[in-house]
Structures are given as C-alpha cells and as structure tokens.
Amino acid sequence: MAILKQWQQTSHPARLWHPISNSRIQCELCPRACKINLGRVGTCKVRRNENGRLVTLNYGKSVPMTQESIETEAVYHYAPGERILSLGNIGCMLRCDFCQNWTTSQARYVQDSHVAYYRPEDVVNYALKHNIRVLSWTYNDPVVWHEFVMDTAKLAREKGLKNLYKSAFYISEKGIDELLTVMDIFSISLKSMQDSFYRKHTGGRLQPILDGIKQVYDARKSGNYPHLEISNLCVTGRNDTLEEAKKVSDWMLTHLDAEIPLHYVRFHPDYQYTHVERTAIPLLEQARLQALNDGMRYVYVVNVFDTQSANTYCPECQTLLVKRSGLIAEPYMDKGYCPRCHFHPPIILPWEDANTDKTVLSIPDGLHCITHMFRGPVQACHIEQQHESDIYYQFVSKDGTPVSDINMNNCGRFMLSKSNPNAEGIRLYHHLNEPCQLFEVYDRAHFPVTEAEKTHLGSENVPVTFIPLKGR
C-alpha cells in the first residue's frame, strides 16, 4: 500500500455524487463521472470513496495565497488593474502533458512542503485585511476544489468581495449551476477546437467545455453578469496556426457574441513537453488581427510584454481606452465612455475608491537590500515571506538606476512584473530577521515552486524543477 503524504491524510465531505451499488459511488463533478470503488480515488486523485461516501482530500489545502493583478487571469474588461488574491489547490480533472502548474495539478508530485492550510474565513479575512476585493480561484484548476471554493466564495460574497473563476472548465452542468450562485467573473481557457487535441494531450473532451461556456453565457443577466472572457493557449507545434486560432473566434462569433473578450495566450514549454520553443509572437499578433477582421471586437495577446496588443482600443474610433504594461493598467475612459466618440464599451471600471495609495514612500533605514534581474522573456516574479512585514521595492535599469517610484507590499506572497520598458530588474528592501524568497514566474498563470537562484541553473524558456518525473 502506498504511503500517504501528510496532505492526503485528512478529508472533507464532497458534493455532487451518488451511490451506485456494493459501496461503489459515482462522482458528478466533472464530465468523467468517475465510478469509484471503495477506498479508491477518481482520475483527479483528490476525490475518494471513503466508507461508501465521496470525500475530497484537498479541502482547504492550497499553494500560498498570492496577491496579483486581475490581468494575470486573462481578465481585461473587469476592473482593469485591480489587485486580486489568487488561490490554487491540489489535483486536476485534466492531465495536460504541457501543464505549467503540473507540480500541483498532478497530485502525485505534490510535496507537503508546498501545501498551505486555510479555512474559508482565513481567506476572506486575509483579503479584507489587505484591502483586496477579488478572490481568484486559479492555477492548477479550481474545479477539483469545488467544496472549498463554494464555501469560501459564499462567505466572500457576504463580506462584499467578488469571486473570479479561472478554469479549463472541464466541469459538469450541475457543478456550473452551483458556481453560478457565487461567481462574478469567469475566465475560461479554451485550449483547442479539436476534440482530438483534448483526448490526446489533456485526457478530456472538447464538447463538455463548449457546453459549459455556453451555459455560463446563457446565464448572463442584464448588465452582462456574470462577466465572461475566453482565452486560447496557443501551444507550439500543436495548435499554433492561424487556422486553429480562427476556429476559436468563429465559434465565439457563432455561439457567443463579438463583445466577449478573446485572449490568445503565449505558451511556455513545461512538464512533458519541453523540447519546443515558446509560441512565436508574430503568430499571436496575426491571430489577433485575423479575429478582429472577422468581427471580434476585443482581442488580446497575452504573456507578451511590451506589446500594443494588450491595450484596449475603442472598436468604433480606435482611441486608446486602457493601456497595459506588465501588471499595470491605466484606463483612459471618461466615466466608462470613449473620450473621443463617446462609445460605451463593455468594461466594468475599477471601484471609485480604487485601492491605490499615491503616498510618496522612502526606504527606511536598516533594511537589507537584494536585487533580482530579469532573464530574457522571464520578466515577473513572486516574492514570498513567512510573516507579513513591509517589503519595499523599486524597478531598476540594467546598470541599477531606479526607473520607478518606491512601492511597498506586506502580503505573504505577491507578484511583481516588468511594467516599464526600461526596467531590467527589481531591488527589494526587507528586514534582516524577515527574509524573503524570490520565484521566477514564466507566464502570468504560472505558480512557481522553485526558488529563483536555483531556476537560474536552467533555461530562460523552461522552468527548472527538482521533483523527479516518474511514472509518466
């Protein structure tokens, strides 16, 4: 019998299942509808038949909560620039061989040292303490975290917070029905319009995902609620062609509408698919122009720094409405309208008392200074500390000259990325007795587990990991 890891030794009652016979049960959470024998787990490896009842093994078990920007979740039309609290968990209903979060999505690789434990009230209170108004359920995929997501999202709503669901959306109709009662924003990753792609590379099927997207779209009420955006990860050598990109936009024009934002996402090699290069940027730019010419109104290129294709332009007069650089978003609208032609785009503006502090800061005496320089296309990082002390930071040029104002953050883990064309690195100031760790972020939805100084042993294109890939 396999030795259970610490995180596998406690369980929580699961939702969405029914008994079959002879202690067998059937899970109803995702389209697999796993029939699970006594003592066994489903395909996701985190839902188990325990004494004839379905339990979840990952309730409240998470990677460390991380403060990021809403743009990291391919959400460009809801409160641009808003800070979010991102949470990922353990397991996944898919088995993508190119997964960028495989160290947590594939349960057999999860290390106890990477697991944090939270209660719903811990998450909500943390967000309130740090004046963060959006909880983002993300990273590996929130579908298999359904019970904790539902409990926490409900509490978050009661406290006035918003919930964002970033997912590959391999989930049942019943599961979506439950999510629609607590979610405000859906950012759904449509990986391909080929069923063969899903079957071969993810272990899933295409049609349930299309049906799920349509279910969310059809549930939208007046005022475009819940908010919906679609992204398409363009995987090198598999679906990175204009023909494949067009299939996504054509489906959206036929089954959704031209106003739903579409994001073409640049891929980085990872997990079992590391022998290729990142997606070619010209292909992404061409795919964007193709979709716009075909009638889509808002199309973006994601995971590419220093591109105008991350900006939002008025579809009527091409005036700049939202400028984006790194994780910084600057709206230029006039009370939600185009300042030139007065067109009203489907963009929900940030709260009027947006959580931005314009106070001019200076570096206190006695802090320890470290500098992290970006490497090639790797232009973002997570900063993690054990306690919530003040960490001051400033972006610097290649020769160390400051190119930004001084900022401060005291979250346990937060993300920083290049947001100035002259920024080549970050200078951090922290208390000597409160050391911090840096983790390079390869793509915006990537949750790194290997520290930056170790990652430097490897390639700029492929994240290094020290977890052995056994049992492929």
Side-chain angles (χ1 to χ4, degrees):
M1 180 179 293
I3 299 175
L4 296 180
K5 297 177 182 178
Q6 180 180 342
W7 68 264
Q8 296 172 307
Q9 295 177 14
T10 57
S11 62
H12 186 277
R15 307 162 74 111
L16 300 177
W17 65 278
H18 65 269
I20 304 176
S21 61
N22 298 324
S23 298
R24 292 186 80 204
I25 58 178
Q26 185 165 25
C27 181
E28 301 173 351
L29 178 58
C30 93
R32 295 184 187 281
C34 292
K35 296 178 180 179
I36 308 173
N37 291 327
L38 190 66
R40 308 294 290 182
V41 294
T43 301
C44 65
K45 307 301 182 186
V46 292
R47 299 174 79 77
R48 183 171 66 200
N49 181 341
E50 199 170 89
N51 300 319
R53 294 182 175 275
L54 186 65
V55 299
T56 175
L57 303 178
N58 63 357
Y59 188 92
K61 300 164 188 176
S62 170
V63 295
M65 295 184 289
T66 305
Q67 182 242 294
E68 300 179 322
S69 162
I70 199 166
E71 279 75 17
T72 63
E73 307 296 15
V75 174
Y76 280 15
H77 284 210
Y78 194 106
E82 185 69 21
R83 294 188 302 135
I84 62 174
L85 185 61
S86 293
L87 298 103
N89 66 100
I90 298 170
C92 189
M93 62 290 169
L94 296 175
R95 300 191 301 270
C96 302
D97 61 4
F98 51 85
C99 180
Q100 61 187 12
N101 289 310
W102 61 270
T103 53
T104 54
S105 70
Q106 305 307 302
R108 65 185 181 275
Y109 297 122
V110 174
Q111 304 294 301
D112 285 328
S113 60
H114 297 157
V115 180
Y117 296 81
Y118 301 112
R119 300 169 301 171
E121 56 267 33
D122 295 332
V123 175
V124 172
N125 289 338
Y126 186 93
L128 293 171
K129 175 183 176 181
H130 291 280
N131 195 27
I132 298 173
R133 311 184 215 210
V134 179
L135 300 185
S136 178
W137 307 97
T138 182
Y139 295 136
N140 55 309
D141 202 285
V143 168
V144 291
W145 216 17
H146 190 70
E147 291 74 17
F148 188 73
V149 168
M150 289 297 300
D151 289 349
T152 310
K154 180 180 178 182
L155 179 61
R157 272 214 169 166
E158 292 172 356
K159 299 296 184 179
L161 303 179
K162 303 295 184 182
N163 290 291
L164 189 165
Y165 201 81
K166 173 63 175 173
S167 174
F169 226 52
Y170 203 59
I171 184 172
S172 67
E173 181 179 349
K174 289 182 178 180
I176 297 172
D177 281 339
E178 293 197 350
L179 290 175
L180 287 169
T181 66
V182 295
M183 290 298 152
D184 303 281
I185 310 159
F186 286 88
S187 178
I188 299 175
S189 175
L190 178 56
K191 300 182 187 300
S192 172
M193 286 300 297
Q194 297 285 351
D195 186 66
S196 58
F197 177 101
Y198 272 94
R199 290 180 182 273
K200 182 176 181 179
H201 301 302
T202 78
R205 293 179 290 119
L206 170 63
Q207 193 58 49
I209 297 166
L210 298 180
D211 292 342
I213 294 173
K214 192 66 166 58
Q215 185 179 345
V216 172
Y217 178 79
D218 290 343
R220 284 156 56 91
K221 306 169 186 175
S222 59
N224 296 326
Y225 181 85
H227 185 78
L228 173 64
E229 303 197 22
I230 304 296
S231 60
N232 174 219
L233 179 64
C234 300
V235 181
T236 308
R238 290 183 174 174
N239 67 339
D240 60 334
T241 66
L242 291 178
E243 179 184 9
E244 289 299 308
K246 181 175 172 58
K247 290 177 182 177
V248 175
S249 59
D250 283 351
W251 184 85
M252 291 179 64
L253 287 168
T254 301
H255 297 279
L256 308 181
D257 64 60
E259 302 291 310
I260 301 295
L262 169 60
H263 305 253
Y264 287 116
V265 182
R266 193 183 190 200
F267 160 79
H268 82 250
D270 215 328
Y271 192 26
Q272 298 172 348
Y273 193 59
T274 59
H275 63 283
V276 296
E277 297 296 323
R278 292 189 171 195
T279 318
I281 295 176
L283 179 279
L284 298 171
E285 299 283 3
Q286 292 169 26
R288 173 180 176 270
L289 291 176
Q290 174 181 256
L292 290 170
N293 290 335
D294 286 345
M296 293 294 293
R297 304 269 274 178
Y298 306 97
V299 187
Y300 302 99
V301 171
V302 178
N303 284 342
V304 177
F305 289 85
D306 304 326
T307 174
Q308 301 298 311
S309 298
N311 298 333
T312 300
Y313 298 92
C314 176
E316 299 295 325
C317 70
Q318 300 307 307
T319 296
L320 178 64
L321 300 180
V322 182
K323 181 180 179 181
R324 297 183 180 86
S325 180
L327 299 180
I328 305 299
E330 300 178 75
Y332 289 94
M333 291 179 286
D334 181 9
K335 297 180 180 179
Y337 291 84
C338 173
R340 181 179 178 187
C341 73
H342 308 296
F343 174 75
H344 191 277
I347 298 176
I348 298 174
L349 292 177
W351 288 265
E352 290 186 4
D353 57 334
N355 43 28
T356 55
D357 186 355
K358 302 299 183 181
T359 303
V360 177
L361 299 176
S362 58
I363 307 297
D365 294 333
L367 297 186
H368 180 64
C369 175
I370 57 175
T371 300
H372 172 77
M373 303 306 293
F374 298 128
R375 296 190 306 130
V378 186
Q379 299 182 357
C381 62
H382 281 178
I383 313 299
E384 181 175 302
Q385 57 177 336
Q386 185 174 358
H387 302 103
E388 297 174 26
S389 61
D390 294 344
I391 294 179
Y392 293 81
Y393 62 91
Q394 191 171 31
F395 291 94
V396 296
S397 65
K398 189 173 184 179
D399 63 4
T401 303
V403 294
S404 74
D405 294 333
I406 297 168
N407 293 279
M408 187 273 289
N409 197 307
N410 56 16
C411 289
R413 185 160 176 153
F414 59 95
M415 182 176 180
L416 297 176
S417 80
K418 179 177 180 177
S419 56
N420 181 316
N422 297 317
E424 298 292 339
I426 303 170
R427 184 168 294 148
L428 302 171
Y429 300 84
H430 65 90
H431 296 278
L432 278 173
N433 59 344
E434 295 289 352
C436 61
Q437 295 175 294
L438 281 79
F439 301 82
E440 288 189 332
V441 176
Y442 278 69
D443 285 336
R444 293 183 176 188
H446 170 226
F447 188 91
V449 297
T450 303
E451 296 172 38
E453 61 266 26
K454 296 178 181 178
T455 307
H456 283 195
L457 299 174
S459 164
E460 293 176 346
N461 291 323
V462 182
V464 167
T465 179
F466 295 95
I467 301 174
L469 283 172
K470 296 180 180 179
R472 292 189 183 182

